Amino acid sequence: MATPIDLELKKAFGELQSKVIDTQQKVKLADLQIEQLNRIKKHANLTHAELTPLLDSTRMYEGVGRMFILQSKDGISNQLTEKQKTADNKIKELEQKKTYLERSVKEAEDNIREMLMSRRAM
């Protein structure tokens, strides 16, 4: 017959396992989002590098859906810079979220270890 401590450990292990699986999925999602934001940032950087040597009087168009809108070089340059800044900020947020998730799993694992050590001490 299972003792109450064994049931408590079994329940704790089940909770830890579900938490680890959930956290791993969230970390993978954060990694995918970071990868996508890095691509967006790189695309904006390359586009900005291509536009820099052009004359200010060059006619430039921004693609919006299925149409193109005439924009100034400064306007497009500012949009690309803003896109890069936004991507950087989101990447920082996702890295912090990822760190928090990994830390919470580590804490849960430590709690389980402490529970096991106290069980062995009895």
Side-chain angles (χ1 to χ4, degrees):
M1 185 168 163
T3 63
I5 295 176
D6 290 340
L7 293 175
E8 185 178 320
L9 283 174
K10 186 175 181 179
K11 181 180 176 186
F13 279 125
E15 290 174 2
L16 176 65
Q17 184 179 16
S18 64
K19 186 173 186 174
V20 167
I21 290 170
D22 183 48
T23 303
Q24 286 174 343
Q25 289 174 345
K26 288 180 181 177
V27 168
K28 285 181 185 178
L29 179 64
D31 284 337
L32 290 173
Q33 289 174 336
I34 289 170
E35 186 178 317
Q36 181 182 14
L37 288 168
N38 280 329
R39 274 184 292 205
I40 289 171
K41 189 173 141 184
K42 185 176 181 180
H43 182 268
N45 189 23
L46 290 172
T47 304
H48 191 273
E50 289 293 320
L51 294 180
T52 302
L54 297 176
L55 298 174
D56 288 339
S57 61
T58 305
R59 295 174 64 100
M60 296 185 190
Y61 296 89
E62 176 189 5
V64 179
R66 296 167 78 188
M67 67 179 184
F68 295 94
I69 299 175
L70 181 63
Q71 291 280 353
S72 66
K73 180 180 174 183
D74 290 335
I76 290 178
S77 179
N78 290 339
Q79 287 176 355
L80 292 171
T81 304
E82 188 63 33
K83 194 181 278 190
Q84 288 175 339
K85 287 179 184 176
T86 303
D88 280 335
N89 291 337
K90 287 182 180 179
I91 288 171
K92 287 178 186 176
E93 290 174 13
L94 287 169
E95 290 290 343
Q96 290 173 351
K97 180 181 175 183
K98 197 170 122 177
T99 303
Y100 169 76
L101 290 170
E102 290 169 347
R103 191 178 329 119
S104 68
V105 168
K106 178 105 172 82
E107 288 174 4
E109 289 174 350
D110 291 342
N111 290 340
I112 296 289
R113 282 191 194 99
E114 288 176 16
M115 202 182 292
L116 283 172
M117 292 299 205
S118 67
R119 166 97 165 72
R120 288 181 184 160
M122 291 183 170

